[in-house]
């Protein structure tokens, strides 16, 4: 979990992002090709967490 320290993410942001990515991977493994939009959306949410962490504080 040390990856968040090198980014603007808090530990909670990092953990939340990892859970989203893990969920997408699990869905793809369990139901290959069945839920591509869901998997894309989960990854997009993970990207949003990363992008928001990189934005300067207002």
């Amino acid at each position: 979990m040390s990856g968040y320290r090198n980014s603007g993410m808090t530990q909670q942001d990092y953990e939340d992002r990892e859970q989203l990515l893990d969920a997408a991977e699990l869905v793809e493994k369990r139901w290959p090709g069945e839920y591509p939009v869901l998997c894309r959306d989960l990854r997009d949410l993970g990207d949003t967490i990363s992008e928001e962490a990189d934005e300067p504080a207002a």
Side-chain angles (χ1 to χ4, degrees), residues 23-24 27 31 34-45:
V27 168
W31 299 284
E34 293 293 317
Y35 300 100
V37 174
L38 172 62
C39 294
R40 184 201 63 216
D41 289 347
L42 290 169
R43 287 191 174 93
D44 287 349
L45 286 170

Side-chain angles (χ1 to χ4, degrees), residues 20-58:
L20 289 166
L21 298 176
D22 288 347
E25 185 177 336
L26 177 70
V27 168
E28 285 179 331
K29 286 182 180 179
R30 178 69 173 95
W31 299 284
E34 293 293 317
Y35 300 100
V37 174
L38 172 62
C39 294
R40 184 201 63 216
D41 289 347
L42 290 169
R43 287 191 174 93
D44 287 349
L45 286 170
D47 289 344
T48 299
I49 290 172
S50 297
E51 290 166 4
E52 287 179 358
D54 291 338
E55 291 177 2

